[in-house]
Amino acid sequence: MTKIDPFTGEEFIPKKISQRFANKENRIKFNNDKAKKIRIEQAPIINPLKLNSKIIKELLGNNMEIILNKEFLRGKGFDFTISSGSELVNGKIYPLIFFYLIINDYSDNEVKIMLWL
């Protein structure tokens, strides 16, 4: 009984019943292509989140919280329009960048960033 390789479309005789690909190289390329498509689809959200997280981590250092100027953060490339989630704190909902809480109503031109575990 033969099968069709989903990556190349070639016909092959499987060595095992569960074998889907003609060889391991085709399986690896197929799965890499699949993962690449997912990364490309998620890039508009994941990349800014990663950058925001990197900026916060760099500025926070060993501190648990910091207060920063919003324009300073924007100058570093921080995007206030994107978050990975939200958290209800004292009756208000605040955005999260992974495990950092962004208190954006701290003042008109400042934001408080806290490590939120």
Side-chain angles (χ1 to χ4, degrees), residues 90-103:
N90 298 327
K92 290 187 178 183
I93 297 173
Y94 296 106
L96 288 168
I97 304 294
F98 300 123
F99 44 87
Y100 300 110
L101 184 70
I102 314 299
I103 301 176

Side-chain angles (χ1 to χ4, degrees), residues 13-67:
I13 299 171
K15 295 175 183 160
K16 295 191 222 176
I17 293 172
S18 62
Q19 185 176 348
R20 288 183 54 210
F21 299 91
N23 54 54
K24 74 176 187 176
E25 290 80 14
N26 288 359
R27 177 178 45 85
I28 291 168
K29 288 176 185 176
F30 177 87
N31 287 319
N32 284 345
D33 284 355
K34 187 176 170 183
K36 182 180 179 181
K37 286 177 188 173
I38 292 169
R39 280 193 307 273
I40 290 169
E41 287 174 3
Q42 294 175 346
I45 294 173
I46 295 297
N47 291 346
L49 281 173
K50 285 181 181 178
L51 178 60
N52 280 357
S53 179
K54 180 181 174 185
I55 291 167
I56 292 171
K57 185 178 179 181
E58 174 188 306
L59 295 172
L60 196 60
N62 293 327
N63 301 309
M64 294 295 287
E65 63 183 56
I66 52 173
I67 298 169

